Every structure is written in C-alpha cells, then in structure tokens.
Amino acid sequence: MTEEDTTTSPRNRFARSILREKIPVSRWVTNRILGLGAINFYLFALLTITGTLLMVYYVPSTTQAYNDIKDLGTTVSFGSIVRNMHRWSAFLMIISGFLHMSRVFFTAEYREPREFNWLVGLFLFLMILGMAYTGYTLPWDQKSYWGLTIMSQILEAIPGIGSKLQYLVLGGTEVGQNTLTRSFVMHVKLLPLLMSMLMAVHFWRIWKDDHITLTFAGEDHTESPNQLEQPSVTWRYILTRETSKFLLVLLFVLVFSILFNAPLEEQANPMVTPDPVKAPWFFVGLQEVLSWGAPFWTGIVAPLLAIVAVAVIPYFDHGREGIGVWFHPSRRLSNVLFTAAVTIFIGLIIVGEFMRGPGWIFYWPWQHWSVN
Amino acid sequence: MFIDQTSRRNFINRLGWGVFLSTIGGIMVASIRLLAPNVLYELPKEFKVGYPKDYPEGVHFIPARRIFVLRENNRFRAVSAVCTHLGCTMRWSEQDLAWKCPCHGSVFNEKGGVIKGPATRPLPWYDISVSLDGQLLVDLNKDVSPDHSVVVNV
C-alpha cells in the first residue's frame, strides 16, 4: 500500500490507527436499515441539552412556572427556539421510537436471542411517553392541570392500592404544588437517569446479540460465523456517517423550531375545564378509549393488555425464517395483525384529535362545533 | 469446648444477610413513606359560600371550590361540580337541565344521577347549613342525599 509510506509522524500514525484501520463491526452497523435507533439517541442528546438550558430559567412553582415559560417565549434570547426544539425533538422521538419498533417487528429482529432487547426497547418507549407526559405538566397550563387531574383519577381506579398511590403521586388529595414538584423531579432526574441506564443496556445487548447470532448463523444464513471478526469498515466511515446523520436531525429540528412555535394554553385554572379538553396527541387515543367506560377497564386494563401483548411477541414467535428481511412472506399473518393494531391505535388518535367536539361528542372534521 | 465451625459460619452468614436485607428494606420503606406528606396546605373542607340573599333562583357555580349551590324557593342545596369519571369540572346546561362533562362526555341529571357514561357513580351532594353569621356553610366531608337541603327565609 502506498498509504503506509506517508504515515511517518506520530500524529499521522495515531490518526491512521484510530480512524483508518478497519475494525470488526457487526453487519448491523454496516447494513443499518434505517438507523432509527441512532436517531433516537441523537434526539435524546438534543433533549438533554435543550432541557438543561430550559432548566436555567424554569422554576417548578404553580405560581411561577407558567410565567417562566412565557418569558422563555418572549424575553429570553433564543428562549423560544430552545423551547420549540425541546418540544419538537420530543415529538420526533415518540414518532421515531415507534418507527424503530415497527422496523424491528417487520424485519423480525426481535426474535431469539434479541427478545430481551425487545423488552428493554419497549420500556424505553414507555419512558419516552412518560417523559413526554411529565414534560406536558411542567408549563402549568390548562393541558397540564387537566392532564394531571385525569391521570390521577385513573390511578385511583387501581383496585386496592389506588387511592394510596394517588396520594403519593399527587402529594396530597388534589393536584397542586406537590404534584408539580413530583412531576418535575420525574422529568428532569428520575426518568432521564433510568433511560440512560436502559439505553446502555440496549446498546450493549445489540453488540452481544450479534455475537450470539453469528455464532449460530452457519446453518440457515449465508454469512459465515466468523464474519463478525473480519474487519469491514473503518471508524472514520462510521463517525462520518453518524455525524452527518446527527447534523441532519439537528438541522431538521432547528428549522422546524424556527418555523413553528410550541403551543402554550391558558394558565392552569382548576375552576374551568376547557370544553373540550384534549390530551396531548400521543395520549388522545387513550382519552378516546377512556370515554368508552369505567376507568378501571379503559384506563388500566386495556393499556396494560396492549403493553403485555407487545412485550410477549418474541416469546410466542419461535420462527427462524425471515430474520432481517422486510415483510418476509412467511410472516404475512403477523405483519397483517401488527399493521391492524397500529392502524387501530392511529385511528383512535385521529378520532380523539379531530372528531371530538365539546362534551366529547362526535363531529366530522368538517362539521361545526355547536357551542353551548 | 467443641464449636461446630460450619454452623457458626452459617449463622454469621445468615446474620450478615439479615442485617443487609433489613437495612435496605427499611431504607426503602422509609423512602416510600417520605413521599406521603403528613401536612397538607390545601383548602379546608368546610367553608362558607356567602349569604343566602345573594343567590337568585337556580344553579350557581362556586369556581373556587368546584361545587354548585342550588336554590329553589327557600331551599338551598350543594352538589359537587367534579365529574365522578375522571375529575373534570362540569358545566350546568339550563336547556337540558343536566350537568355535562367536557372531558369524556358524561351527563348527569338534576338529581346528580348518571344519564350518560362513561361516569358510573352519581354526583355527591354535600351537607349545607347556615353558620352563625348567616352565611351558607358547606361541608365536603359529609355526603348527603340529593334531597338534603337547608331552608332559609330570605
């Protein structure tokens, strides 16, 4: 190689060894299908940075929080863009988390030995939702207040421990300062900490599961068992690609944040429930289900069943065919069922968001709401 | 003196585990207990809502306390304005003579009974009386029947 001759200085040798040397990496890095998992990680980083900036001004007080958010939008330099970035990154993370899970399902990559990582991923997704929910409570506007009220009433419907749990979460018998403080602690400390830990486990399992898979891959896969050990790409390649991906995500969020402002409703007012009061879009499907019956069934049993159903998928599917292949014909039934479930969820969100008017009465999107 | 080495080691081992687990367990119980406040700075459950003469006939919303005070002739009653489904504040509809919840669409009749779900429990009615200074006094701690009222000659 001619390249070798040019590397004489120690600095060059360092650059060469670290960045140019081909390293053994799994084919999941080289053949990344969509890279959505990495995008989730970048969004998490963006959310951490913007969230830290927001914390400099935000005070979790029922009398001050709303005004702090107002200030961020008006008097603080770049405050509104940072808040918008925080909001839109969070939305994007829900969507890309969901797409990431769908990708893993449609390519059957949750199967043994990755069933544990599927569970870790599911918990991470639930934590994203938890972060989004607690984040919604912090501005202390009408959505925050009534969201908390409804959530606390759902908790109360848990048999046995319901009212005690509600007391702990609210820090009292009604939504107030204690509730906001607890929500804040969850949002800025507890959940990010747990998420970071779970993310570390998630990444470690990707590496570990690849090793396991490739060791046993000989019989029904085309690649050789030792493919993992063969140097395939350079760090330089991975760093360049991933940095560009991160920059694209950043650019997208930045432009979106400059163009669109994060909404802020009226200040929380326990005396007036807006009519209709709607949950944030990712929970409006649940709100629709809640309107069908007793909170115990619609608010606890139904969501838990949905979560358990997603969690046990890898433990029921023992097929070996079609791993790593999009929409493999042998998995037609699973794919149809999964798509149907996803369609129902999205349908519920659409009905709740666009077809419910005052009094949660059904309206077509083009109908006018009658105002009582 | 004969000492069984194995059982002594066993005993110390168990003792160690016992101390470890009970310490961790105690700390966890204490941490969870800490989350439940002992003193609440919430509004009192018994409060005055003004003079009877200030209430015309009909249904009146007391926003600060999320109740309705009803007046029919000289009879006064008090009912919760909080939907029994998931706690939203309801509005009174004069044309339908019903309370309607904006969150999930529950409807309650003028007795507080559910006429449309998802709510399942009726609205609680609260004890109302006249305090010594002549103001109406509502006590949220006391649930009463929908017919419970206080008669004031205004």
PDB file of all heavy atoms in Angstrom, chain B residues 117-138:
ATOM      1  N   GLY B 117     -72.832   7.808  30.185  1.00  0.00           N
ATOM      2  CA  GLY B 117     -71.492   7.461  30.646  1.00  0.00           C
ATOM      3  C   GLY B 117     -70.441   8.315  30.000  1.00  0.00           C
ATOM      4  O   GLY B 117     -70.779   9.236  29.276  1.00  0.00           O
ATOM      5  N   PRO B 118     -69.162   8.041  30.209  1.00  0.00           N
ATOM      6  CA  PRO B 118     -68.587   6.891  30.890  1.00  0.00           C
ATOM      7  C   PRO B 118     -68.639   6.921  32.433  1.00  0.00           C
ATOM      8  O   PRO B 118     -68.259   5.938  33.047  1.00  0.00           O
ATOM      9  CB  PRO B 118     -67.132   6.917  30.433  1.00  0.00           C
ATOM     10  CG  PRO B 118     -66.857   8.348  30.137  1.00  0.00           C
ATOM     11  CD  PRO B 118     -68.140   8.888  29.594  1.00  0.00           C
ATOM     12  N   ALA B 119     -69.089   8.007  33.054  1.00  0.00           N
ATOM     13  CA  ALA B 119     -69.165   8.018  34.518  1.00  0.00           C
ATOM     14  C   ALA B 119     -70.123   6.928  34.990  1.00  0.00           C
ATOM     15  O   ALA B 119     -71.099   6.606  34.303  1.00  0.00           O
ATOM     16  CB  ALA B 119     -69.634   9.383  35.008  1.00  0.00           C
ATOM     17  N   THR B 120     -69.858   6.362  36.154  1.00  0.00           N
ATOM     18  CA  THR B 120     -70.728   5.320  36.684  1.00  0.00           C
ATOM     19  C   THR B 120     -71.339   5.719  38.021  1.00  0.00           C
ATOM     20  O   THR B 120     -72.425   5.283  38.360  1.00  0.00           O
ATOM     21  CB  THR B 120     -69.945   4.006  36.879  1.00  0.00           C
ATOM     22  OG1 THR B 120     -68.750   4.287  37.616  1.00  0.00           O
ATOM     23  CG2 THR B 120     -69.570   3.392  35.549  1.00  0.00           C
ATOM     24  N   ARG B 121     -70.642   6.554  38.789  1.00  0.00           N
ATOM     25  CA  ARG B 121     -71.149   6.941  40.109  1.00  0.00           C
ATOM     26  C   ARG B 121     -71.889   8.273  40.014  1.00  0.00           C
ATOM     27  O   ARG B 121     -71.497   9.157  39.246  1.00  0.00           O
ATOM     28  CB  ARG B 121     -69.986   7.084  41.091  1.00  0.00           C
ATOM     29  CG  ARG B 121     -69.386   5.745  41.519  1.00  0.00           C
ATOM     30  CD  ARG B 121     -68.055   5.969  42.195  1.00  0.00           C
ATOM     31  NE  ARG B 121     -67.051   6.458  41.262  1.00  0.00           N
ATOM     32  CZ  ARG B 121     -66.000   7.216  41.605  1.00  0.00           C
ATOM     33  NH1 ARG B 121     -65.832   7.577  42.856  1.00  0.00           N
ATOM     34  NH2 ARG B 121     -65.135   7.608  40.700  1.00  0.00           N
ATOM     35  N   PRO B 122     -72.949   8.440  40.829  1.00  0.00           N
ATOM     36  CA  PRO B 122     -73.657   9.716  40.821  1.00  0.00           C
ATOM     37  C   PRO B 122     -72.820  10.814  41.487  1.00  0.00           C
ATOM     38  O   PRO B 122     -71.852  10.538  42.186  1.00  0.00           O
ATOM     39  CB  PRO B 122     -74.915   9.425  41.638  1.00  0.00           C
ATOM     40  CG  PRO B 122     -74.536   8.289  42.519  1.00  0.00           C
ATOM     41  CD  PRO B 122     -73.558   7.460  41.744  1.00  0.00           C
ATOM     42  N   LEU B 123     -73.238  12.059  41.239  1.00  0.00           N
ATOM     43  CA  LEU B 123     -72.532  13.176  41.863  1.00  0.00           C
ATOM     44  C   LEU B 123     -72.803  13.195  43.363  1.00  0.00           C
ATOM     45  O   LEU B 123     -73.933  12.987  43.790  1.00  0.00           O
ATOM     46  CB  LEU B 123     -73.018  14.498  41.267  1.00  0.00           C
ATOM     47  CG  LEU B 123     -72.718  14.744  39.797  1.00  0.00           C
ATOM     48  CD1 LEU B 123     -73.320  16.087  39.376  1.00  0.00           C
ATOM     49  CD2 LEU B 123     -71.217  14.736  39.554  1.00  0.00           C
ATOM     50  N   PRO B 124     -71.778  13.440  44.176  1.00  0.00           N
ATOM     51  CA  PRO B 124     -72.021  13.551  45.617  1.00  0.00           C
ATOM     52  C   PRO B 124     -72.659  14.897  45.981  1.00  0.00           C
ATOM     53  O   PRO B 124     -72.290  15.933  45.430  1.00  0.00           O
ATOM     54  CB  PRO B 124     -70.617  13.415  46.220  1.00  0.00           C
ATOM     55  CG  PRO B 124     -69.675  13.766  45.147  1.00  0.00           C
ATOM     56  CD  PRO B 124     -70.359  13.512  43.836  1.00  0.00           C
ATOM     57  N   TRP B 125     -73.631  14.841  46.883  1.00  0.00           N
ATOM     58  CA  TRP B 125     -74.249  16.063  47.424  1.00  0.00           C
ATOM     59  C   TRP B 125     -73.654  16.301  48.803  1.00  0.00           C
ATOM     60  O   TRP B 125     -73.371  15.362  49.531  1.00  0.00           O
ATOM     61  CB  TRP B 125     -75.762  15.909  47.517  1.00  0.00           C
ATOM     62  CG  TRP B 125     -76.393  15.804  46.162  1.00  0.00           C
ATOM     63  CD1 TRP B 125     -76.399  14.708  45.366  1.00  0.00           C
ATOM     64  CD2 TRP B 125     -77.064  16.840  45.450  1.00  0.00           C
ATOM     65  NE1 TRP B 125     -77.035  14.988  44.181  1.00  0.00           N
ATOM     66  CE2 TRP B 125     -77.457  16.284  44.207  1.00  0.00           C
ATOM     67  CE3 TRP B 125     -77.375  18.171  45.734  1.00  0.00           C
ATOM     68  CZ2 TRP B 125     -78.144  17.022  43.255  1.00  0.00           C
ATOM     69  CZ3 TRP B 125     -78.073  18.905  44.796  1.00  0.00           C
ATOM     70  CH2 TRP B 125     -78.448  18.329  43.559  1.00  0.00           C
ATOM     71  N   TYR B 126     -73.484  17.573  49.135  1.00  0.00           N
ATOM     72  CA  TYR B 126     -72.780  17.894  50.368  1.00  0.00           C
ATOM     73  C   TYR B 126     -73.700  18.567  51.372  1.00  0.00           C
ATOM     74  O   TYR B 126     -74.659  19.251  51.014  1.00  0.00           O
ATOM     75  CB  TYR B 126     -71.581  18.799  50.081  1.00  0.00           C
ATOM     76  CG  TYR B 126     -70.545  18.123  49.224  1.00  0.00           C
ATOM     77  CD1 TYR B 126     -70.146  18.695  48.020  1.00  0.00           C
ATOM     78  CD2 TYR B 126     -69.979  16.906  49.601  1.00  0.00           C
ATOM     79  CE1 TYR B 126     -69.184  18.075  47.224  1.00  0.00           C
ATOM     80  CE2 TYR B 126     -69.030  16.282  48.817  1.00  0.00           C
ATOM     81  CZ  TYR B 126     -68.643  16.871  47.630  1.00  0.00           C
ATOM     82  OH  TYR B 126     -67.711  16.257  46.851  1.00  0.00           O
ATOM     83  N   ASP B 127     -73.321  18.373  52.630  1.00  0.00           N
ATOM     84  CA  ASP B 127     -74.077  18.976  53.727  1.00  0.00           C
ATOM     85  C   ASP B 127     -73.993  20.496  53.633  1.00  0.00           C
ATOM     86  O   ASP B 127     -72.916  21.063  53.436  1.00  0.00           O
ATOM     87  CB  ASP B 127     -73.493  18.498  55.052  1.00  0.00           C
ATOM     88  CG  ASP B 127     -74.270  19.067  56.217  1.00  0.00           C
ATOM     89  OD1 ASP B 127     -75.465  18.769  56.320  1.00  0.00           O
ATOM     90  OD2 ASP B 127     -73.672  19.826  57.000  1.00  0.00           O
ATOM     91  N   ILE B 128     -75.140  21.141  53.741  1.00  0.00           N
ATOM     92  CA  ILE B 128     -75.161  22.598  53.710  1.00  0.00           C
ATOM     93  C   ILE B 128     -75.971  23.069  54.909  1.00  0.00           C
ATOM     94  O   ILE B 128     -76.985  22.463  55.277  1.00  0.00           O
ATOM     95  CB  ILE B 128     -75.725  23.119  52.369  1.00  0.00           C
ATOM     96  CG1 ILE B 128     -75.566  24.639  52.268  1.00  0.00           C
ATOM     97  CG2 ILE B 128     -77.149  22.690  52.142  1.00  0.00           C
ATOM     98  CD1 ILE B 128     -75.826  25.181  50.857  1.00  0.00           C
ATOM     99  N   SER B 129     -75.501  24.128  55.571  1.00  0.00           N
ATOM    100  CA  SER B 129     -76.199  24.656  56.736  1.00  0.00           C
ATOM    101  C   SER B 129     -75.969  26.163  56.791  1.00  0.00           C
ATOM    102  O   SER B 129     -75.291  26.725  55.930  1.00  0.00           O
ATOM    103  CB  SER B 129     -75.672  23.988  58.008  1.00  0.00           C
ATOM    104  OG  SER B 129     -74.274  24.143  58.087  1.00  0.00           O
ATOM    105  N   VAL B 130     -76.536  26.790  57.790  1.00  0.00           N
ATOM    106  CA  VAL B 130     -76.346  28.232  57.937  1.00  0.00           C
ATOM    107  C   VAL B 130     -75.451  28.459  59.149  1.00  0.00           C
ATOM    108  O   VAL B 130     -75.722  27.956  60.236  1.00  0.00           O
ATOM    109  CB  VAL B 130     -77.688  28.955  58.121  1.00  0.00           C
ATOM    110  CG1 VAL B 130     -77.462  30.453  58.274  1.00  0.00           C
ATOM    111  CG2 VAL B 130     -78.586  28.679  56.933  1.00  0.00           C
ATOM    112  N   SER B 131     -74.367  29.181  58.933  1.00  0.00           N
ATOM    113  CA  SER B 131     -73.460  29.435  60.055  1.00  0.00           C
ATOM    114  C   SER B 131     -73.988  30.585  60.905  1.00  0.00           C
ATOM    115  O   SER B 131     -74.979  31.223  60.548  1.00  0.00           O
ATOM    116  CB  SER B 131     -72.061  29.746  59.535  1.00  0.00           C
ATOM    117  OG  SER B 131     -72.084  30.995  58.881  1.00  0.00           O
ATOM    118  N   LEU B 132     -73.321  30.842  62.010  1.00  0.00           N
ATOM    119  CA  LEU B 132     -73.833  31.820  62.974  1.00  0.00           C
ATOM    120  C   LEU B 132     -73.912  33.220  62.383  1.00  0.00           C
ATOM    121  O   LEU B 132     -74.770  34.007  62.756  1.00  0.00           O
ATOM    122  CB  LEU B 132     -72.950  31.823  64.216  1.00  0.00           C
ATOM    123  CG  LEU B 132     -73.058  30.544  65.049  1.00  0.00           C
ATOM    124  CD1 LEU B 132     -72.070  30.581  66.193  1.00  0.00           C
ATOM    125  CD2 LEU B 132     -74.481  30.348  65.566  1.00  0.00           C
ATOM    126  N   ASP B 133     -73.020  33.538  61.432  1.00  0.00           N
ATOM    127  CA  ASP B 133     -73.067  34.880  60.849  1.00  0.00           C
ATOM    128  C   ASP B 133     -74.050  34.970  59.689  1.00  0.00           C
ATOM    129  O   ASP B 133     -74.088  35.978  58.986  1.00  0.00           O
ATOM    130  CB  ASP B 133     -71.667  35.322  60.411  1.00  0.00           C
ATOM    131  CG  ASP B 133     -71.101  34.427  59.314  1.00  0.00           C
ATOM    132  OD1 ASP B 133     -71.776  33.446  58.954  1.00  0.00           O
ATOM    133  OD2 ASP B 133     -69.995  34.700  58.827  1.00  0.00           O
ATOM    134  N   GLY B 134     -74.829  33.906  59.446  1.00  0.00           N
ATOM    135  CA  GLY B 134     -75.872  33.951  58.431  1.00  0.00           C
ATOM    136  C   GLY B 134     -75.413  33.475  57.062  1.00  0.00           C
ATOM    137  O   GLY B 134     -76.209  33.395  56.132  1.00  0.00           O
ATOM    138  N   GLN B 135     -74.135  33.166  56.897  1.00  0.00           N
ATOM    139  CA  GLN B 135     -73.669  32.662  55.601  1.00  0.00           C
ATOM    140  C   GLN B 135     -73.969  31.169  55.480  1.00  0.00           C
ATOM    141  O   GLN B 135     -74.089  30.465  56.473  1.00  0.00           O
ATOM    142  CB  GLN B 135     -72.160  32.873  55.470  1.00  0.00           C
ATOM    143  CG  GLN B 135     -71.742  34.324  55.348  1.00  0.00           C
ATOM    144  CD  GLN B 135     -70.331  34.449  54.802  1.00  0.00           C
ATOM    145  OE1 GLN B 135     -70.025  33.894  53.749  1.00  0.00           O
ATOM    146  NE2 GLN B 135     -69.485  35.174  55.499  1.00  0.00           N
ATOM    147  N   LEU B 136     -74.059  30.748  54.226  1.00  0.00           N
ATOM    148  CA  LEU B 136     -74.221  29.317  53.986  1.00  0.00           C
ATOM    149  C   LEU B 136     -72.886  28.617  54.234  1.00  0.00           C
ATOM    150  O   LEU B 136     -71.820  29.133  53.877  1.00  0.00           O
ATOM    151  CB  LEU B 136     -74.670  29.073  52.553  1.00  0.00           C
ATOM    152  CG  LEU B 136     -76.087  29.539  52.223  1.00  0.00           C
ATOM    153  CD1 LEU B 136     -76.304  29.535  50.719  1.00  0.00           C
ATOM    154  CD2 LEU B 136     -77.119  28.650  52.927  1.00  0.00           C
ATOM    155  N   LEU B 137     -72.973  27.430  54.849  1.00  0.00           N
ATOM    156  CA  LEU B 137     -71.768  26.700  55.219  1.00  0.00           C
ATOM    157  C   LEU B 137     -71.824  25.315  54.550  1.00  0.00           C
ATOM    158  O   LEU B 137     -72.789  24.577  54.743  1.00  0.00           O
ATOM    159  CB  LEU B 137     -71.713  26.563  56.733  1.00  0.00           C
ATOM    160  CG  LEU B 137     -70.482  25.908  57.349  1.00  0.00           C
ATOM    161  CD1 LEU B 137     -69.284  26.834  57.211  1.00  0.00           C
ATOM    162  CD2 LEU B 137     -70.739  25.593  58.821  1.00  0.00           C
ATOM    163  N   VAL B 138     -70.811  25.004  53.753  1.00  0.00           N
ATOM    164  CA  VAL B 138     -70.788  23.707  53.065  1.00  0.00           C
ATOM    165  C   VAL B 138     -69.683  22.848  53.677  1.00  0.00           C
ATOM    166  O   VAL B 138     -68.587  23.346  53.958  1.00  0.00           O
ATOM    167  CB  VAL B 138     -70.538  23.893  51.552  1.00  0.00           C
ATOM    168  CG1 VAL B 138     -70.400  22.546  50.847  1.00  0.00           C
ATOM    169  CG2 VAL B 138     -71.650  24.702  50.929  1.00  0.00           C
TER     170      VAL B 138
END
